[in-house]
Amino acid sequence: MAATARGRRYSIVAILLHWASALCVLVLIGMGLVMTHAALAPMRQFELYQWHKSLGITALALTALRLAWRAAHPAPPLPAAMPRPERWAASSTHVLLYLLLVGLPLTGWAVVSLSPFNIPTVLFGALPWPHLPLAEVFSDPAWAEGVVKRVHAYGAWLLTAFLVLHVAAALRHHLILRDDTLRRMLPLPAAPSRSEPMGTTR
């Protein structure tokens, strides 16, 4: 039973990377809303942008680590009773989330690199981070910056929508269906689900 329960759960490394990434993304979304909608003093807004850039690169690094770990350590199987359409929806949502987790930091990095202000990025006030050489690629960097900035903004709203969907689906499985879908990603000991009572083995 213990071995079976472990086989249904993500590894501790995957769990830690998942929750670190989730926390980072939630903070980034909150910071983005404050940066674009709150009336901040110029210096406070500058500091917030610097932290946003630092956390954005951190989110990109965490996503790269997650993808590398996932390639070497496949995810545990979904509950056997899950219908095929739900399996497809779960897989598609995960793919889209990963695409956004890679694409949003890259577009944010591109916006900074195309900015006419050419403000240096120093991660967490300690590590200088280079700009992408995009100003040399586009004949009109200001136009390109505007386009990428809109893509970044719309992508952030799309990511927020997918996160809400992701959380709602996980809570549905945990509170209504009572299976192990959410529990296998929690840093807690596995417990038998309603669909797999004590003594059940695969």
Side-chain angles (χ1 to χ4, degrees), residues 12-22 61-63 65-67 69:
I12 187 62
V13 173
I15 291 172
L16 291 175
L17 288 173
H18 172 273
W19 290 109
S21 179
L62 286 170
T63 302
L65 288 173
R66 290 178 66 185
L67 289 171
W69 184 264

Side-chain angles (χ1 to χ4, degrees), residues 5 14 26 35 41 76 78 80 97 100 115 128 135 147 150 168 170 190:
L26 289 175
M35 286 160 44
L78 294 169
L97 279 172
L100 288 167
S115 172
V147 171
R150 285 194 292 273

